[in-house]
Amino acid sequence: MIVLNSGDSRQPTIRYPFPQGFWWGSATSAPQIEGAAHLDGKGKNIWDHWYEQEPNRFYGGVGPTDASQFYFRYEEDIELMKEIGHNSFRFSISWSRLFPNGYGEINQKAVDFYNKVIDKLIETGIEPFVNLYHFDMPLALQEKGGWENRFVVDCYEQYSAACFRLFGDRVSKWFTHNEPIVPVEGGYLYNFHYPNECNFTKAVQVAFHTMLSSARAIKTYREMKLDGKIGIILNLTPSYPRSSHPADLEAARIADAFFNRSFLDPSVKGTFPSDLVEILRAEGQLPVMQEGDLRVIAENTIDLLGINYYQPRRVKARESLPNPHAPLLPEHYFDYYEMPGRKMNPYRGWEIYEKGIYDLLINVKENYGNIECFISENGIGVENEARFQDENGIIQDDYRIEFVREHLKWVHRAIQEGVNVKGYHMWTFMDNWSWINAYKNRYGFIAVDIANNWKRTVKKSGWWFKKLAENNGF
Ligand code: BGP
């Protein structure tokens, strides 16, 4: 353990110093913070549409128009980011704001908005990390089948090229997708995203087209010879078996293939995991592809890997045979396992297992060529957080500070063991609209008081993060 102590009693003792230039910041997405869902020429996306159809599916009946108003308040918000120590910030571009129909004509007002955001970030000393797709398919393209339809891959390539051309002179960290498995799960397996299907065949096709779109965007980026890096952001959930019994190990391996290696392998290695391919083949569920697709994926792997980590996945061998008439799901192959004594976030119902972040990083070092990576999301959602306000109205979120600190200890250890991890981004900067959970679970360093004209107030954790970033460690 390195302990830095200058001998000056005013200087804090830094037990966990991070490498110089470490990226401290946070992440969010366009649909979750912008608001202005129907303003300045923006086209509808699947969230705007689904909310109109079924507002009851959204917590408290709150929809995407009520995202945190960044569209109007971005200047103040970026100042606040600086105030709490950010040197980098990841947001996404709204595809349907830039291309209201998903392709074709560009909406100049969207170009103006993103130019202003990027310029303001740079002027403030915060590096913009830009993601192209965060769950928000333009409705016009969903009406053509969304990611099921290969035409949408072409549209996405056009959209990505436009973003690189418009903003690539100032943005040098790009990401093709955020958590690409989530729209597959939500939209095509478990019914928490539009189009609310439960159809394994479509799920596989959607996953394949998403992966292909990522490789094609990377190819486009490289052909444009811009001076930057391009990557993908994956939510990785380390798969832990209940025991070392071979059947439990097998269950964990299959869960890992479905939920981690499905996107991690093609993104980093350019190939799909053979065990997953074998399962799909045996089920008669291989996706439709065209000649050359696998070559595009093989030749266009990422420069930079973003890792989102929230919770582990604990599994065991199935205890009963699956219903042969039920729709096929990955859970056909394993059961979930609740580890006795596991530590829980009592406010969200997710397990907290800090060492998981280290296990993921070591896996990247050992099995993925130690590719340059960073923690692109980590965070703790808390319901009804206003109850923790002190007499000055500051939320005393000590649980969040502890959560970050305990995860960072493991990130620090991974760095000491040679993992090429370059930064830590928190989910998220300010409380934001979280899909069907709307504002149920608050994740921000900054509280947003919706009823009080969207007032922003830094939580205790925001001030703690400022010190962490300034000291480059804790
Ligand atoms: C991550 C997503 C985010 C955000 C977060 C919180 O997986 O990338 O977009 O939604 O989860 O989720 P929730 O509000 O459901 O707790």
Side-chain angles (χ1 to χ4, degrees):
M1 172 71 52
I2 308 167
V3 178
L4 290 186
N5 194 337
S6 61
D8 178 342
S9 59
R10 287 166 306 178
Q11 292 294 319
T13 300
I14 306 296
R15 291 180 59 83
Y16 298 92
F18 282 78
Q20 237 194 347
F22 203 68
W23 308 328
W24 297 110
S26 62
T28 187
S29 76
Q32 295 184 265
I33 57 164
E34 286 181 3
H38 304 287
L39 211 71
D40 288 347
K42 178 179 163 295
K44 282 185 197 171
N45 62 33
I46 52 174
W47 296 96
D48 305 318
H49 173 72
W50 187 22
Y51 179 65
E52 280 171 6
Q53 302 299 306
E54 289 189 282
N56 52 302
R57 285 292 308 265
F58 295 79
Y59 185 78
V62 176
T65 344
D66 290 321
S68 317
Q69 313 295 297
F70 183 75
Y71 193 76
F72 309 101
R73 303 176 76 146
Y74 68 92
E75 287 185 299
E76 166 197 351
D77 287 340
I78 292 170
E79 295 287 345
L80 269 175
M81 284 171 208
K82 186 69 195 168
E83 188 64 31
I84 60 166
H86 283 44
N87 60 22
S88 46
F89 173 61
R90 190 231 321 173
F91 63 99
S92 72
I93 291 176
S94 160
W95 185 351
S96 64
R97 193 180 292 288
L98 197 63
F99 285 96
N101 294 312
Y103 66 102
E105 211 178 314
I106 290 188
N107 172 17
Q108 186 55 41
K109 290 212 162 131
V111 179
D112 296 344
F113 171 64
Y114 293 114
N115 270 332
K116 286 188 286 186
V117 169
I118 290 166
D119 290 345
K120 175 74 186 169
L121 283 165
I122 293 172
E123 199 183 288
T124 313
I126 300 173
E127 182 177 1
F129 286 27
V130 178
N131 172 35
L132 296 173
Y133 190 81
H134 200 125
F135 312 166
D136 55 343
M137 179 61 66
L139 181 60
L141 295 182
Q142 189 64 46
E143 283 169 347
K144 296 182 194 299
W147 292 116
E148 287 170 58
N149 184 348
R150 209 181 155 92
F151 170 70
V152 170
V153 179
D154 300 337
C155 297
Y156 173 84
E157 190 179 325
Q158 183 193 105
Y159 158 63
S160 70
C163 291
F164 303 147
R165 181 172 51 74
L166 290 163
F167 313 116
D169 57 331
R170 286 152 292 153
V171 173
S172 60
K173 305 270 189 324
W174 288 95
F175 300 93
T176 57
H177 290 269
N178 173 79
E179 305 190 345
I181 198 140
V182 170
V184 176
E185 295 172 322
Y188 297 89
L189 294 174
Y190 310 116
N191 185 8
F192 60 91
H193 282 196
Y194 194 78
N196 314 97
E197 302 219 27
C198 183
N199 183 322
F200 196 87
T201 309
K202 288 185 179 181
V204 173
Q205 193 63 52
V206 162
F208 180 73
H209 279 158
T210 310
M211 193 55 237
L212 180 64
S213 78
S214 176
R216 281 183 34 191
I218 293 172
K219 184 167 188 282
T220 304
Y221 186 70
R222 301 232 166 96
E223 284 167 0
M224 290 171 84
K225 303 219 174 314
L226 287 156
D227 190 18
K229 291 183 177 176
I230 186 158
I232 196 166
I233 288 158
L234 301 179
N235 52 318
L236 299 180
T237 44
S239 269
Y240 297 112
R242 165 182 57 183
S243 75
S244 55
H245 187 283
D248 284 343
L249 295 177
E250 174 76 350
R253 182 180 63 76
I254 293 178
D256 184 52
F258 272 112
F259 296 107
N260 296 320
R261 288 183 281 122
S262 50
F263 282 96
L264 184 57
D265 281 27
S267 297
V268 179
K269 300 178 174 172
T271 52
F272 289 94
S274 54
D275 53 350
L276 181 61
V277 173
E278 279 322 308
I279 290 175
L280 298 183
R281 196 192 310 279
E283 295 283 1
Q285 297 287 353
L286 285 173
V288 177
M289 40 183 124
Q290 289 184 8
E291 213 193 313
D293 286 354
L294 292 178
R295 202 183 59 239
V296 173
I297 291 170
E299 289 174 355
N300 296 283
T301 56
I302 56 168
D303 303 316
L304 174 61
L305 175 68
I307 300 170
N308 293 355
Y309 175 64
Y310 289 89
Q311 55 175 340
R313 185 183 301 272
R314 299 194 187 273
V315 298
K316 61 184 178 187
R318 276 205 63 121
E319 281 171 358
S320 56
L321 288 176
N323 174 357
H325 307 294
L328 183 58
L329 289 173
E331 287 76 4
H332 190 102
Y333 290 93
F334 59 85
D335 278 345
Y336 285 108
Y337 170 64
E338 279 191 13
M339 188 179 69
R342 66 198 179 138
K343 178 155 124 190
M344 292 296 288
N345 163 5
Y347 316 112
R348 172 67 176 87
W350 283 355
E351 181 180 344
I352 298 178
Y353 183 63
E354 298 91 347
K355 181 172 176 282
I357 207 165
Y358 166 84
D359 291 340
L360 287 172
L361 290 169
I362 294 295
N363 182 41
V364 166
K365 178 184 162 204
E366 288 177 355
N367 299 311
Y368 293 87
N370 204 13
I371 188 169
E372 183 175 34
C373 65
F374 73 115
I375 300 302
S376 42
E377 284 181 30
N378 182 221
I380 177 169
V382 175
E383 237 183 295
N384 187 16
E385 211 176 22
R387 74 190 125 141
F388 299 116
Q389 269 176 11
D390 67 7
E391 60 286 2
N392 303 314
I394 311 287
I395 291 173
Q396 300 296 306
D397 53 345
D398 296 86
Y399 42 82
R400 184 165 287 112
I401 297 172
E402 186 193 323
F403 181 95
V404 176
R405 195 194 280 128
E406 294 307 309
H407 281 83
L408 279 175
K409 285 181 186 169
W410 286 106
V411 174
H412 182 265
R413 175 157 162 193
I415 294 171
Q416 290 193 316
E417 292 178 21
V419 178
N420 198 9
V421 53
K422 294 293 174 63
Y424 176 88
H425 279 185
M426 184 72 171
W427 186 270
T428 178
F429 160 63
M430 63 177 158
D431 293 342
N432 65 25
W433 181 80
S434 199
W435 323 108
I436 57 174
N437 283 334
Y439 285 94
K440 184 168 185 252
N441 308 308
R442 304 296 182 108
Y443 282 85
F445 283 133
I446 292 173
V448 173
D449 186 350
I450 303 173
N452 191 4
N453 192 29
W454 306 92
K455 185 166 178 257
R456 278 83 162 123
T457 309
V458 179
K459 301 177 192 174
K460 184 175 179 183
S461 61
W463 298 120
W464 179 82
F465 192 75
K466 177 189 175 73
K467 269 201 234 116
L468 166 74
E470 282 172 3
N471 295 329
N472 203 33
F474 63 100

PDB file of all heavy atoms in Angstrom, residues 5-14 467 471:
ATOM      1  N   ASN A   5       2.175  11.123   2.095  1.00  0.00           N
ATOM      2  CA  ASN A   5       1.979  12.106   3.152  1.00  0.00           C
ATOM      3  C   ASN A   5       3.094  13.128   3.040  1.00  0.00           C
ATOM      4  O   ASN A   5       4.268  12.809   3.219  1.00  0.00           O
ATOM      5  CB  ASN A   5       1.978  11.420   4.519  1.00  0.00           C
ATOM      6  CG  ASN A   5       1.451  12.352   5.586  1.00  0.00           C
ATOM      7  OD1 ASN A   5       1.497  13.579   5.402  1.00  0.00           O
ATOM      8  ND2 ASN A   5       0.971  11.801   6.673  1.00  0.00           N
ATOM      9  N   SER A   6       2.725  14.337   2.719  1.00  0.00           N
ATOM     10  CA  SER A   6       3.716  15.363   2.449  1.00  0.00           C
ATOM     11  C   SER A   6       4.395  15.854   3.729  1.00  0.00           C
ATOM     12  O   SER A   6       5.350  16.594   3.680  1.00  0.00           O
ATOM     13  CB  SER A   6       3.021  16.545   1.788  1.00  0.00           C
ATOM     14  OG  SER A   6       2.057  17.036   2.685  1.00  0.00           O
ATOM     15  N   GLY A   7       3.844  15.466   4.875  1.00  0.00           N
ATOM     16  CA  GLY A   7       4.385  15.972   6.125  1.00  0.00           C
ATOM     17  C   GLY A   7       3.701  17.266   6.526  1.00  0.00           C
ATOM     18  O   GLY A   7       3.782  17.696   7.665  1.00  0.00           O
ATOM     19  N   ASP A   8       3.012  17.872   5.589  1.00  0.00           N
ATOM     20  CA  ASP A   8       2.262  19.091   5.884  1.00  0.00           C
ATOM     21  C   ASP A   8       0.930  18.654   6.496  1.00  0.00           C
ATOM     22  O   ASP A   8       0.158  17.925   5.875  1.00  0.00           O
ATOM     23  CB  ASP A   8       2.037  19.841   4.553  1.00  0.00           C
ATOM     24  CG  ASP A   8       1.209  21.096   4.751  1.00  0.00           C
ATOM     25  OD1 ASP A   8       0.539  21.198   5.789  1.00  0.00           O
ATOM     26  OD2 ASP A   8       1.237  21.958   3.863  1.00  0.00           O
ATOM     27  N   SER A   9       0.652  19.081   7.711  1.00  0.00           N
ATOM     28  CA  SER A   9      -0.535  18.589   8.410  1.00  0.00           C
ATOM     29  C   SER A   9      -1.838  19.039   7.731  1.00  0.00           C
ATOM     30  O   SER A   9      -2.882  18.446   7.953  1.00  0.00           O
ATOM     31  CB  SER A   9      -0.510  19.060   9.854  1.00  0.00           C
ATOM     32  OG  SER A   9      -0.469  20.466   9.860  1.00  0.00           O
ATOM     33  N   ARG A  10      -1.753  20.089   6.865  1.00  0.00           N
ATOM     34  CA  ARG A  10      -2.978  20.514   6.181  1.00  0.00           C
ATOM     35  C   ARG A  10      -3.308  19.594   5.012  1.00  0.00           C
ATOM     36  O   ARG A  10      -4.403  19.597   4.493  1.00  0.00           O
ATOM     37  CB  ARG A  10      -2.821  21.951   5.650  1.00  0.00           C
ATOM     38  CG  ARG A  10      -2.858  22.999   6.760  1.00  0.00           C
ATOM     39  CD  ARG A  10      -2.380  24.316   6.251  1.00  0.00           C
ATOM     40  NE  ARG A  10      -1.071  24.160   5.631  1.00  0.00           N
ATOM     41  CZ  ARG A  10      -0.396  25.149   5.054  1.00  0.00           C
ATOM     42  NH1 ARG A  10      -0.908  26.346   4.994  1.00  0.00           N
ATOM     43  NH2 ARG A  10       0.792  24.942   4.520  1.00  0.00           N
ATOM     44  N   GLN A  11      -2.304  18.834   4.561  1.00  0.00           N
ATOM     45  CA  GLN A  11      -2.530  17.932   3.435  1.00  0.00           C
ATOM     46  C   GLN A  11      -3.159  16.637   3.945  1.00  0.00           C
ATOM     47  O   GLN A  11      -2.676  16.058   4.904  1.00  0.00           O
ATOM     48  CB  GLN A  11      -1.188  17.593   2.763  1.00  0.00           C
ATOM     49  CG  GLN A  11      -0.540  18.765   2.053  1.00  0.00           C
ATOM     50  CD  GLN A  11      -1.357  19.237   0.866  1.00  0.00           C
ATOM     51  OE1 GLN A  11      -1.899  18.432   0.121  1.00  0.00           O
ATOM     52  NE2 GLN A  11      -1.481  20.543   0.710  1.00  0.00           N
ATOM     53  N   PRO A  12      -4.205  16.176   3.291  1.00  0.00           N
ATOM     54  CA  PRO A  12      -4.792  14.916   3.735  1.00  0.00           C
ATOM     55  C   PRO A  12      -3.874  13.741   3.410  1.00  0.00           C
ATOM     56  O   PRO A  12      -3.076  13.815   2.475  1.00  0.00           O
ATOM     57  CB  PRO A  12      -6.079  14.820   2.905  1.00  0.00           C
ATOM     58  CG  PRO A  12      -5.832  15.658   1.698  1.00  0.00           C
ATOM     59  CD  PRO A  12      -4.857  16.735   2.106  1.00  0.00           C
ATOM     60  N   THR A  13      -3.982  12.704   4.193  1.00  0.00           N
ATOM     61  CA  THR A  13      -3.229  11.500   3.891  1.00  0.00           C
ATOM     62  C   THR A  13      -3.990  10.727   2.825  1.00  0.00           C
ATOM     63  O   THR A  13      -5.174  10.435   3.000  1.00  0.00           O
ATOM     64  CB  THR A  13      -3.119  10.638   5.159  1.00  0.00           C
ATOM     65  OG1 THR A  13      -2.441  11.429   6.115  1.00  0.00           O
ATOM     66  CG2 THR A  13      -2.356   9.351   4.893  1.00  0.00           C
ATOM     67  N   ILE A  14      -3.316  10.433   1.754  1.00  0.00           N
ATOM     68  CA  ILE A  14      -3.973   9.716   0.660  1.00  0.00           C
ATOM     69  C   ILE A  14      -3.521   8.260   0.701  1.00  0.00           C
ATOM     70  O   ILE A  14      -2.394   7.940   0.360  1.00  0.00           O
ATOM     71  CB  ILE A  14      -3.615  10.344  -0.716  1.00  0.00           C
ATOM     72  CG1 ILE A  14      -3.910  11.850  -0.737  1.00  0.00           C
ATOM     73  CG2 ILE A  14      -4.360   9.635  -1.842  1.00  0.00           C
ATOM     74  CD1 ILE A  14      -5.362  12.210  -0.584  1.00  0.00           C
ATOM     75  N   LYS A 467     -13.584  16.483  -3.433  1.00  0.00           N
ATOM     76  CA  LYS A 467     -12.294  16.307  -2.733  1.00  0.00           C
ATOM     77  C   LYS A 467     -11.525  15.111  -3.302  1.00  0.00           C
ATOM     78  O   LYS A 467     -10.317  15.161  -3.485  1.00  0.00           O
ATOM     79  CB  LYS A 467     -12.542  16.087  -1.236  1.00  0.00           C
ATOM     80  CG  LYS A 467     -12.540  17.390  -0.478  1.00  0.00           C
ATOM     81  CD  LYS A 467     -12.255  17.135   1.009  1.00  0.00           C
ATOM     82  CE  LYS A 467     -13.345  17.766   1.845  1.00  0.00           C
ATOM     83  NZ  LYS A 467     -14.180  16.869   2.617  1.00  0.00           N
ATOM     84  N   ASN A 471      -7.894  15.559  -4.891  1.00  0.00           N
ATOM     85  CA  ASN A 471      -6.751  14.859  -4.307  1.00  0.00           C
ATOM     86  C   ASN A 471      -6.295  13.688  -5.173  1.00  0.00           C
ATOM     87  O   ASN A 471      -5.306  13.032  -4.857  1.00  0.00           O
ATOM     88  CB  ASN A 471      -7.106  14.318  -2.910  1.00  0.00           C
ATOM     89  CG  ASN A 471      -7.391  15.429  -1.928  1.00  0.00           C
ATOM     90  OD1 ASN A 471      -6.816  16.519  -2.028  1.00  0.00           O
ATOM     91  ND2 ASN A 471      -8.274  15.190  -0.980  1.00  0.00           N
TER      92      ASN A 471
END
